[in-house]
Amino acid sequence: HLQAGECAFVSFDVETGGDLCGIVKMSAQIFCFERGTSTPSIKTSSNDLFNEYIKPLIGAVWSQNAMSIHGISPDYEKIRDASKIEDVWSNFCSFIDDRVRPDEVVILLAYNGGSCDLKWLWKLTQAPNSTMNIPSQLQFFLDPLRVIKNYKSCPLHPKKTKLESCNLESIYKFVSGEELLGAHDSLKDVKAQTRIVGSALFFDFIDKAKLITTINDIFTKG
């Protein structure tokens, strides 16, 4: 599918106010690789970005640690004016439906997201009494960090880069030569993920079957 250009990727990230607060911002970027190119080349546009703040339920308990990481707080203007999670999730589903062809294979990307972003997606769509559903096109998941750490021949593996950390900021700087300004902003993080996955340093390792799993498998095992 990757070689045929029939695969779409959704780079995804959320910011939360902690376990007792929930998601406060959700961002995504849809992209695909150009057909017929010998080197990786991705297609993106401003219309392929999703970015919305979310107003937590009344009485939500915000984590001081979470607020210190991303800077979002209950008195932030964009939170006060934000929609509730049900409306934002509906908008996200429409965003996917409007941009992904029915015949496309879609892989959700989340950097170190198996234990974080996917956990929140499970709570939204699979937990008891949940009224929301995951878009039918989103069937597969890939964590770029697992690829980097599991394949020693990957140019981004620590033994190749000599980096002390494989966090998103470090890998982004290695790939782009630029600092990731505003890290822990979900929109900036999804753009960084896209840049990393779309680089020649990563592309040859993107189709490793053992690291691409179904979202349903993750939900079942979790």
Side-chain angles (χ1 to χ4, degrees):
H1 289 291
L2 292 175
Q3 299 304 319
E6 296 173 353
C7 182
F9 295 86
V10 176
S11 185
F12 183 83
D13 191 36
V14 299
E15 304 297 347
T16 80
D19 288 343
L20 301 178
C21 178
I23 300 173
V24 296
K25 189 179 182 186
M26 182 181 298
S27 305
Q29 182 174 34
I30 294 179
F31 68 95
C32 60
F33 289 91
E34 297 275 11
R35 295 171 182 263
T37 57
S38 57
T39 58
S41 177
I42 60 175
K43 295 188 294 183
T44 62
S45 74
S46 59
N47 292 329
D48 293 332
L49 288 170
F50 179 89
N51 187 53
E52 290 197 24
Y53 289 86
I54 298 160
K55 181 183 292 184
L57 295 173
I58 296 174
V61 178
W62 288 70
S63 161
Q64 290 293 331
N65 182 59
M67 288 189 287
S68 70
I69 291 173
H70 51 55
I72 303 172
S73 62
D75 57 355
Y76 188 48
E77 181 179 0
K78 291 185 178 180
I79 290 293
R80 294 199 306 265
D81 297 338
S83 299
K84 59 184 181 179
I85 183 63
E86 291 84 359
D87 294 331
V88 173
W89 185 252
S90 177
N91 293 342
F92 173 73
C93 292
S94 296
F95 167 78
I96 297 296
D97 288 338
D98 292 344
R99 290 163 178 80
V100 178
R101 301 193 319 265
D103 62 333
E104 282 183 299
V105 173
V106 180
I107 299 175
L108 186 76
L109 299 170
Y111 204 88
N112 198 27
S115 60
C116 180
D117 303 276
L118 268 291
K119 178 188 76 173
W120 287 103
L121 287 187
W122 182 89
K123 288 183 176 182
L124 287 181
T125 65
Q126 309 295 313
N129 302 317
S130 172
T131 59
M132 292 173 271
N133 296 299
I134 196 164
S136 60
Q137 301 98 320
L138 298 184
Q139 296 185 21
F140 298 95
F141 172 72
L142 178 65
D143 178 355
L145 179 60
R146 287 193 65 213
V147 174
I148 292 168
K149 286 187 171 182
N150 276 270
Y151 290 94
K152 293 181 180 180
S153 56
C154 176
L156 297 176
H157 188 276
K159 288 191 174 180
K160 300 280 189 180
T161 65
K162 308 301 182 184
L163 294 173
E164 293 183 0
S165 172
C166 287
N167 63 24
L168 185 67
E169 299 97 304
S170 298
I171 296 298
Y172 176 80
K173 183 177 181 180
F174 187 86
V175 168
S176 68
E178 305 167 356
E179 298 286 348
L180 178 55
L181 301 177
H184 304 297
D185 175 312
S186 56
L187 180 60
K188 293 181 179 180
D189 287 353
V190 298
K191 290 180 178 180
Q193 287 185 147
T194 299
R195 180 75 177 270
I196 291 168
V197 172
S199 76
L201 299 175
F202 189 95
F203 181 74
D204 287 343
F205 295 83
I206 203 170
D207 199 16
K208 302 298 183 182
K210 74 175 184 179
L211 294 183
I212 296 177
T213 185
T214 68
I215 292 176
N216 186 61
D217 280 348
I218 295 176
F219 286 162
T220 301
K221 292 177 183 177

